[in-house]
């Protein structure tokens, strides 16, 4: 049989190389979950280490690959080749030792920054600029903790995220808010299977494992000291501070995308989350908002509202009241969800719905209603998303407990005869309007 | 003492004995041994001939390669656009689980076994392996395991048609096919979260483990004890050496997963708390045990491929392997260090600084012996005369693609960088480069190299060129963009993704690549069929090769060597053809004893078949099917009885006298 | 031919360091070592993590377990005698000692069964946190190994009456069974130390 010509084999090599170039050239690396355009010290450190490995391996590729290609071309059999048998050399110990030595050296080049990075990324540093004490001086926070980094507990469920801020007494779900430039210490655990918290532009991932608590720290953007260092500046002063604030505002304040990165069941692909990095002032506002919670749709006190609800629910009219009534009764939302302020919405099995109307996405980041251009909420899309979520929970998140949970899900509602009696479109319409109002 | 003779060639034609020695004889049980001359089917079902067993391993492995490939094509088609709904999330999760499990355990490992089985006795100058019936047991147990692990598809089809519903321990669950990933992390694999599919997975893998373990022990004894005179360890072909290392790896690594699977089985069936958090169990224990097996497993997959390359490159460069001793030593070091790096699969689980640092450094260390091999392969080419025959093209491709896969491995070794790469498409890119670009290309190289020996037929035409082009192009187009996909944040094991994350065009390219790859592999099958049906006779040594298996006919006689060869040097055939006078292969005189051949036997098949009710019984019990516990016990008893009868029937054996018949 | 040669005709020999069947058994035992090692490690890890999960001293009966350990050790001694007997071709002595091994093995198993029943009565089951799970799986697996050994020896005992066993044919086979039995015994020593005795420190 004929042998493949060396020309064709060379073509194969070059074609692959061409592909690489084409692919590299045609891509945008500044995307929502890119690890190439980092916005925090941890991701930055991880990227630098990665680039070291890229350069070292690229170097080896050029050298070894080069020798390889040269060998194939130079020592190929020619047509009608009648040269004598090549010398049957068995090896060269010196060459071996030299190459082993060179390999070890190159690995040391990678190993040293690796060790440094392991130590840097692992232990939560002190935060010289912590404003914890000023954000909240209530009972949950002891005085000696006033300068500690902010702590967020990340709790993984199939298929959503709870974010608790124990020092501040608030709990939210799926969209966390963090102050830019400040150390945030995360404590990660799961209540069911293993999940993984991955916010690529800010940090590499850490797993949430049931039965144990992992921890990591993240930070959106550099702190003041590091920022000065990078700019080559020194000292203090209002102008410096103002420039630093501009840096944070232009480059760091953003809506970051994250996703679960450990296979966790049917809807693993749909367990996304968000982290919004904001200024200190905005963060304080947000905390206050979360702590305040919601009032009744028509301004009554909750006691009055429930007095009416218990005795004469027909008195409570209007879409929002109707929606809230359904929330508390037939739709059974309150059995699994908390709405802060509402004394009877205390369910902990599902995401906390306080301020859910202010969130840019629902269903753990899967249904989006954010305007990319200005970061505002597209109200129509938001309504559609709420509607779709309640109407077809099982289609949006197959296997979801809100739809089917041993008789307790909204996909399992039955009437007195045991026949299916799901929420009607009109009912879902009202509930959606109510949820939209929670902001 | 035996006297050497000057005869140096095995007979040129296929031996057909004229004597009656193949008349079926009675075993110690009093029953007739299977008559391998009457029925081809019975001959193959009861054979203990390592060559036939090797061919069966190969054929079944190629079948499952296509099954796994089909699973991959469906996966890639689902991912071609965002929010595609070609298949459901559950189906997707089952497909990627089965794709991984099938490719690793039912395609690559058996393909490796095919080569072990066929080549090792020929390469060391033996007539068969040390325990021929155990060899047959390994094959049929593999088949049993493959059936058990895929049985869920049938059940799933029944479930979808409304004809079956799980009850009992997995009541309410609809997943009948394994869907926990090929790595089955706890607690997702508990009965709380997955259905009977996981039970099939557990039992199937346990059965496959028995097959691998028995096979490896057999090969270690064969290689250590049954080498021809003069075949010192340091004269053995590299492929046999790598097989020896792999066999030891299997013996010491498989128990870890056997225990892990056993513990998971007990959690699911008997309510133990090994991984059950509520009872005090630690899910991370599963990961440790799995990867203590899992990491040596990847070296079990790759070392045979490296052995094949180490045979093909010298043969087609007309030079010995550069640094033979060092290549073998590196293989052993890789095997040894392979046990020390398992937690690099767990860098994101919160191991702590010291453990992370230790595993990171050890993983980097293992790059050294791997690199040494690559250097030595390049050194083999240097100064040689490189022929671009079909086997060589694929081996050359291996060196290139495996190097690239090794580089992404080094990138993973840096643990903080790995925190971004882990569980993303970057990992998928890495291991497909080493498994497909590496192992698969080496196996194809081995197929092109040794098929003429195995079947006596030569390849026809130039289709191999097209196979090579399509496979290499397909591989690169499919898997190179995945490096970027991963670094742009796309997690793995996700059945779909949203628009707007910048992943659409990459996924499209990957899917197109997978179709190119599929066509290439189909062409390989076409080429193989053409060769087997109408290839020209290959002759004993069509490639002008170096090692002992080429000193037999093509295909070899059933007894391999008419007389036991006496080996003068490493690369025995080469030194026989081109070396000095004193370095020729000579043959022992057998003093008229003739050739002793092992008898066929039903017992390995009977014993293996018992694994099927055992596996299915234990699993279906979990689905609430009645009486399945008894079915499992029946299976276990069948295995036991098969083995007991096997022990009693005795090895038997018969004699062949090729020279008398030729006279 | 020496009795370390293969049972079938040799087809090639670069020098047998360890005879085929014995080498196979050694490899199997190496693998089984890893197997038991993993089971015992799991137990030890969970004991270290959760010492308060269960107090085994409430159910352990050290006298009984020491007795059964001693019985198993004695059975190994008898096994060595059986191997030696077969080497010399003394079939009667072989049978006596083999029955002794079987008998002692059965006593060991009986003690195990009694112990399991007693523990279960006291509330320690497979599902009792991690202690019950690791304890029963580990010692249960060992018990199954002993049972398989007993069955194997029983088969050998009855086979010895067929006239097909003698020093030439069967010395290796008995030695291989002996290796297995000794291994099972050694594993028990390790379990006894790491699971029972360790709790008393």
């Amino acid at each position: 049989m004929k042998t493949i010509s060396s020309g064709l084999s060379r073509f194969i090599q070059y074609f692959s190389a061409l592909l690489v170039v084409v692919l590299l050239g045609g891509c945008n690396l500044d995307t929502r979950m890119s690890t190439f355009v980092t916005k925090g010290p941890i991701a930055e450190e991880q990227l630098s280490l990665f680039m070291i490995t890229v350069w070292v391996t690229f170097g080896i590729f050029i050298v070894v690959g080069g020798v390889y290609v040269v060998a194939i071309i130079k020592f190929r059999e020619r047509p009608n080749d009648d040269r004598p048998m090549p010398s049957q050399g068995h090896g060269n110990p010196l060459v071996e030792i030299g190459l082993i030595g060179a390999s070890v050296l190159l690995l040391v080049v990678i190993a040293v920054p690796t060790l440094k990075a392991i130590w840097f990324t692992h232990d939560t540093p002190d935060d010289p600029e912590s404003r914890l004490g000023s954000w909240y001086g209530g009972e949950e926070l002891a005085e000696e903790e006033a300068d500690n980094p902010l702590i967020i507990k990340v709790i993984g469920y199939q298929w959503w995220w709870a974010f608790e801020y124990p020092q501040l007494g608030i709990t939210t779900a799926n969209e966390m808010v963090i102050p830019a430039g400040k150390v945030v210490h995360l404590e990660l655990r799961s209540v069911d299977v293993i999940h993984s918290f991955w916010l690529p532009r800010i940090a590499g991932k850490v797993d949430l494992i049931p039965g144990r608590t992992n921890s990591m720290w993240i930070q959106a953007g550099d702190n003041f000291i590091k920022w000065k260092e990078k700019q080559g500046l020194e000292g203090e002063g209002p102008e410096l501070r103002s420039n630093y604030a501009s840096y944070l505002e232009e480059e760091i304040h953003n809506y970051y995308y994250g996703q679960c990165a450990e296979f966790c069941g049917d809807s693993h692909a749909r367990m996304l989350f968000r982290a919004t990095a904001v200024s200190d002032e905005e963060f304080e506002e947000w905390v206050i908002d979360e702590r305040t919670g919601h009032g009744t749709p028509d301004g009554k006190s909750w006691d009055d509202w429930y007095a009416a609800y218990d005795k004469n629910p027909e008195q409570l009219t209007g879409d929002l009241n109707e929606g809230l009534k359904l929330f508390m009764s037939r739709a059974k939302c309150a059995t699994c969800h908390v709405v802060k302020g509402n004394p009877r919405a205390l369910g902990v099995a599902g995401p906390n719905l306080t301020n859910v109307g202010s969130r840019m996405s629902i269903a753990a980041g899967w249904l989006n209603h954010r305007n990319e251009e200005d970061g505002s909420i597209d109200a129509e899309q938001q309504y559609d998303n709420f509607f779709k979520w309640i109407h077809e929970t099982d289609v949006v998140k197959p296997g979801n407990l809100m739809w089917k949970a041993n008789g307790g899900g909204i996909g399992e509602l039955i009437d007195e005869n045991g026949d299916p009696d799901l929420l009607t479109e009109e009912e879902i319409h009202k509930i959606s309007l109510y949820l939209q109002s929670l902001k | 003492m035996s006297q050497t003779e000057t005869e140096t060639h095995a007979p040129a034609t296929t031996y057909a004995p004229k004597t009656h020695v193949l008349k079926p004889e009675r075993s110690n049980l009093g029953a007739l041994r299977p008559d391998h001359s009457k029925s081809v089917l019975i001959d193959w079902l009861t054979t203990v001939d390592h060559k036939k067993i090797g061919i069966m391993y190969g054929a079944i492995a190629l079948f499952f390669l296509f099954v796994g490939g089909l699973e991959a094509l469906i996966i890639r088609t689902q991912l071609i656009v965002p929010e595609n709904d070609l298949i459901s999330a559950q189906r997707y999760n089952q497909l990627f689980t089965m794709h991984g499990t099938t490719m690793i355990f039912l395609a690559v490992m058996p393909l490796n076994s095919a080569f072990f089985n066929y080549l090792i006795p020929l390469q060391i100058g033996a007539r068969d392996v040390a325990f021929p019936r155990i060899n047959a047991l390994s094959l049929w147990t593999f088949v049993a395991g493959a059936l058990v692990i895929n049985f869920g598809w049938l059940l799933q089809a029944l479930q979808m048609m409304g004809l079956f519903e799980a009850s009992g321990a997995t009541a309410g669950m609809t997943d009948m096919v394994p869907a926990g990933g090929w790595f089955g992390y706890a607690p997702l694999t508990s009965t709380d979260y997955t259905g009977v599919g996981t039970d099939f997975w557990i039992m199937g893998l346990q059965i496959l483990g028995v097959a691998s373990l028995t096979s490896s022990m057999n090969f270690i004894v064969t290689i250590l004890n049954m080498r021809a005179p003069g075949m010192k360890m340091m004269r053995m072909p590299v492929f046999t050496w790598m097989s020896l290392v792999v066999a030891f790896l299997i013996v010491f690594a498989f128990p870890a997963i056997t225990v892990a699977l056993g513990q998971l089985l007990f959690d699911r069936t008997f309510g133990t708390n090994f991984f059950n958090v509520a009872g005090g169990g630690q899910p991370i224990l599963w990961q440790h045990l799995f990867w203590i097996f899992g990491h040596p497993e990847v070296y079990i997959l790759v070392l045979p491929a490296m052995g094949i390359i180490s045979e093909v490159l010298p043969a087609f460069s007309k030079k010995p392997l550069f640094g033979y001793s060092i290549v073998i030593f590196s293989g052993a070091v890789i095997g040894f260090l392979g046990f020390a790096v398992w937690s690099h699969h767990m860098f994101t689980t919160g191991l702590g600084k010291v453990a992370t640092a230790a595993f990171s450094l050890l993983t980097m260390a293992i790059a050294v012996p791997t690199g040494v091999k690559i250097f030595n392969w390049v050194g083999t080419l240097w100064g040689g005369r490189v022929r671009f025959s079909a086997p060589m093209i694929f081996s050359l491709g291996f060196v290139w693609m495996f190097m690239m896969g090794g580089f992404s491995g080094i990138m993973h070794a840096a643990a903080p960088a790995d925190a971004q790469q882990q569980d993303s498409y970057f990992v998928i890119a890495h291991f497909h480069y080493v498994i497909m670009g590496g192992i698969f290309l080496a196996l194809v190289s081995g197929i092109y190299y040794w098929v003429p020996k195995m079947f006596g037929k030569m390849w026809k035409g130039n289709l191999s060129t097209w196979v090579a082009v399509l496979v290499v192009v397909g591989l690169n187009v499919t898997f190179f963009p995945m490096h970027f996909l991963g670094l742009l944040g796309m997690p793995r094991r996700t059945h779909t993704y949203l628009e707007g994350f910048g992943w659409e065009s990459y996924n499209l390219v990957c899917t197109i690549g997978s179709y190119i790859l599929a066509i290439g592999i189909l062409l390989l099958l076409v080429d193989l069929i053409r060769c087997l049906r109408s290839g020209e006779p290959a002759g004993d040594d069509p490639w002008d090769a170096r090692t002992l298996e080429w000193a037999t006919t093509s295909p070899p006689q059933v007894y391999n060597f008419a007389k036991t060869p006496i080996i003068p040097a490493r690369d025995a055939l080469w030194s026989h053809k081109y070396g000095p006078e004193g370095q020729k292969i000579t043959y022992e005189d057998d003093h008229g004893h003739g050739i002793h051949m092992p008898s066929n036997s039903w017992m390995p098949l009977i014993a293996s078949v018992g694994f099927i009710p055992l596996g299915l019984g234990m699993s279906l019990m979990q689905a609430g099917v009645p009486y399945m516990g008894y079915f499992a016990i029946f299976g276990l008893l069948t295995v036991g009885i098969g083995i007991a009868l096997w022990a009693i029937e005795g090895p038997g054996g018969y004699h062949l006298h090729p020279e008398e018949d030729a006279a | 031919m020496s009795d370390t040669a293969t049972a079938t005709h040799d087809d090639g020999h670069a020098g047998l360091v360890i005879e085929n069947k014995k080498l196979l058994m050694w490899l199997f035992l190496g693998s089984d070592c890893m197997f038991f090692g993993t089971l015992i490690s799991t137990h030890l890890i969970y004991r270290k993590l959760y010492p308060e999960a269960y107090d085994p001293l409430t159910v352990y009966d050290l006298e009984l377990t020491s007795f059964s350990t001693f019985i198993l050790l004695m059975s190994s001694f008898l096994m060595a005698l059986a191997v030696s007997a077969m080497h010399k071709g003394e079939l009667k002595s072989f049978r006596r000692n083999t029955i002794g091994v079987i008998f002692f093995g059965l006593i060991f198993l009986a003690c195990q069964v009694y112990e399991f029943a007693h523990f279960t009565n006291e509330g320690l089951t497979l599902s009792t946190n991690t202690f019950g799970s690791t304890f029963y799986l580990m010692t249960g697996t060992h018990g199954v190994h002993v049972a398989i050994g007993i069955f194997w020896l029983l088969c050998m005992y009855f086979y010895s009456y067929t006239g097909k066993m003698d020093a030439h044919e069967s010395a290796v086979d008995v030695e291989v069974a002996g290796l297995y039995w000794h291994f099972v015994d050694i594993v028990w020593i390790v379990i006894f130390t790491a699971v029972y005795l360790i709790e008393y420190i």
Side-chain angles (χ1 to χ4, degrees), chain B residues 117-138:
Chain B
N117 267 283
Y118 205 96
L119 294 173
I120 290 176
L122 288 168
Q123 286 195 334
I124 61 174
R127 293 235 161 79
D128 207 317
V129 295
F131 299 98
R133 284 178 295 170
I134 292 185
N135 207 12
L137 176 80
S138 304

Side-chain angles (χ1 to χ4, degrees), chain A residues 4 8 24 27 35 68 75 77 83-84 88 90 96 123 192 198 200 205 207 212 214 261-262 270, chain B residues 193 318 323 348-350 353 376 385-388 393 396 419-420 422-423 465 484 487 495 506 546 574:
Chain A
I4 192 173
L8 183 54
L24 264 177
C27 63
T35 61
Y68 172 69
F75 297 103
E77 187 172 62
R83 293 174 294 168
Q88 303 283 297
H90 288 270
E96 303 274 16
D123 293 323
D192 41 37
W198 192 23
K205 63 191 70 70
D207 292 348
R212 72 192 245 157
N214 280 336
E262 182 60 65
R270 303 180 186 205
Chain B
Y193 304 107
K318 295 208 173 311
T348 58
T349 59
K353 298 188 287 267
N376 281 297
R385 194 179 317 162
V386 178
R387 282 181 295 151
F388 295 100
I393 300 295
L396 291 175
Q420 294 279 34
Q422 165 71 349
D423 265 305
T465 307
F484 288 93
L487 293 172
H495 74 277
Y506 291 98
R546 310 178 72 90
W574 189 265

Side-chain angles (χ1 to χ4, degrees), chain B residues 145-307:
Chain B
L147 285 172
V148 169
I149 215 169
N150 277 292
F151 189 80
W153 290 115
L154 173 63
L155 220 57
Q156 188 79 62
L158 290 174
Q159 187 262 340
M160 284 168 67
M161 295 191 284
L163 297 171
F164 181 80
E165 214 176 276
S167 53
T170 59
M173 307 265 187
T174 56
D175 53 313
M176 311 277 150
V177 176
W182 86 275
F183 49 98
Y185 278 2
L188 186 62
T189 43
S190 79
T191 42
D192 290 335
Y193 304 107
T194 51
V196 72
T198 303
D199 296 289
F200 286 120
W201 182 75
I202 294 172
M203 291 311 301
L205 282 182
Q206 293 285 50
I207 297 170
L208 291 169
V210 170
S212 292
L213 279 167
T214 49
S215 177
S216 316
M217 294 180 200
N218 207 349
F219 281 116
I220 293 176
V221 178
T222 305
I223 294 172
L224 291 181
N225 274 357
M226 298 187 62
R227 289 164 284 135
M231 179 60 84
K232 303 186 195 168
M233 294 295 286
M234 293 309 270
R235 286 183 182 169
M236 289 198 311
V238 180
F239 178 75
T240 303
W241 256 113
M242 291 301 104
S243 308
L244 182 64
V245 174
V246 165
F248 273 106
L249 281 177
I250 292 178
V251 165
F252 290 114
F254 264 78
I257 197 178
T258 308
V259 168
L261 288 170
Q263 291 173 341
L264 183 62
L265 178 80
F266 268 71
D267 269 13
R268 286 179 65 91
T269 315
F270 301 115
T272 49
N273 296 309
F274 291 101
F275 312 115
N276 175 22
V277 177
Q282 286 284 325
I284 198 107
L285 176 66
W286 169 270
Q287 290 191 40
H288 280 292
L289 290 178
F290 183 82
W291 289 115
I292 287 174
F293 153 77
H295 195 80
E297 168 68 7
V298 314
Y299 294 114
I300 290 168
L301 294 174
V302 84
L303 284 175
M306 292 179 162

Side-chain angles (χ1 to χ4, degrees), chain B residues 68-96:
Chain B
L70 184 64
E71 286 161 345
L73 282 179
I74 302 176
I75 290 172
R76 276 316 320 165
T77 313
Q78 160 68 11
L79 292 174
I80 196 170
V81 289
E83 295 198 76
N84 200 0
D85 58 358
L86 176 71
I87 51 175
S88 66
Q90 184 194 78
R91 202 67 59 240
Y92 182 91
N93 296 340
Q94 291 170 340
L95 282 171
F96 79 69

Side-chain angles (χ1 to χ4, degrees), chain B residues 221-538:
Chain B
V221 178
T222 305
I223 294 172
L224 291 181
N225 274 357
M226 298 187 62
R227 289 164 284 135
M231 179 60 84
K232 303 186 195 168
M233 294 295 286
M234 293 309 270
R235 286 183 182 169
M236 289 198 311
V238 180
F239 178 75
T240 303
W241 256 113
M242 291 301 104
S243 308
L244 182 64
V245 174
V246 165
F248 273 106
L249 281 177
I250 292 178
V251 165
F252 290 114
F254 264 78
I257 197 178
T258 308
V259 168
L261 288 170
Q263 291 173 341
L264 183 62
L265 178 80
F266 268 71
D267 269 13
R268 286 179 65 91
T269 315
F270 301 115
T272 49
N273 296 309
F274 291 101
F275 312 115
N276 175 22
V277 177
Q282 286 284 325
I284 198 107
L285 176 66
W286 169 270
Q287 290 191 40
H288 280 292
L289 290 178
F290 183 82
W291 289 115
I292 287 174
F293 153 77
H295 195 80
E297 168 68 7
V298 314
Y299 294 114
I300 290 168
L301 294 174
V302 84
L303 284 175
M306 292 179 162
I308 294 177
I309 302 302
S310 306
E311 305 279 351
V312 173
L313 287 179
F316 292 88
S317 311
K318 295 208 173 311
K319 268 185 71 201
L321 180 67
F322 189 93
Y324 167 92
S325 320
I326 278 231
V327 169
I328 287 172
F329 187 62
S330 313
V333 168
I334 289 173
F336 181 70
L337 276 182
F339 276 101
V341 298
W342 78 89
S343 280
H344 67 220
H345 300 271
M346 298 164 59
F347 277 149
T348 58
T349 59
L351 297 170
K353 298 188 287 267
V354 175
T356 303
F359 281 105
S360 206
L361 293 177
L362 281 165
T363 308
M364 291 181 201
I366 216 170
V368 175
T370 316
V372 162
K373 286 195 176 225
I374 295 186
F375 301 145
N376 281 297
W377 289 324
V378 175
T380 306
L381 296 167
W382 191 273
R385 194 179 317 162
V386 178
R387 282 181 295 151
F388 295 100
S389 312
M392 189 56 156
I393 300 295
F394 288 96
S395 283
L396 291 175
F398 169 95
V399 175
W400 186 264
M401 305 278 290
F402 182 78
M403 204 167 43
M404 291 176 68
F407 290 149
S408 48
I410 294 178
M411 294 174 191
H412 281 318
D418 185 60
Q420 294 279 34
Q421 300 155 8
Q422 165 71 349
D423 265 305
S424 75
Y425 266 77
F426 193 89
V427 184
I428 299 187
H430 162 67
F431 68 72
H432 280 96
Y433 262 87
V434 283
I435 292 187
M436 285 225 76
I439 298 172
F440 180 68
L441 285 185
L443 289 171
V444 174
S445 175
I447 289 175
Y448 274 100
Y449 188 49
W450 277 301
V451 155
K453 168 60 61 182
M454 293 178 186
F455 297 97
K457 302 258 177 79
M458 204 45 171
W459 301 91
K460 289 179 67 161
N462 255 354
L463 205 50
S464 58
T465 307
W466 286 105
V467 174
V469 169
L470 286 172
V471 167
V472 171
V473 168
L475 278 177
N476 282 293
V477 173
T478 310
F479 296 113
F480 193 77
M482 289 190 185
H483 292 103
F484 288 93
L485 256 185
L487 293 172
L488 292 178
M490 182 166 177
R492 58 187 290 207
R493 303 166 177 151
T494 48
H495 74 277
T496 187
Y497 54 97
L498 289 174
E499 267 181 11
F501 284 76
W503 301 334
E504 298 90 319
S505 42
Y506 291 98
N507 271 295
L508 178 63
V509 170
C510 293
T511 302
I512 293 173
S514 67
Y515 280 97
I516 299 174
L517 180 57
I519 296 173
I521 300 180
L522 264 171
L523 279 184
L524 170 67
L525 183 64
V526 169
D527 205 7
L528 184 60
I529 292 173
R530 283 179 57 204
C531 168
L532 295 181
R533 285 176 87 185
S534 52
E536 296 296 307

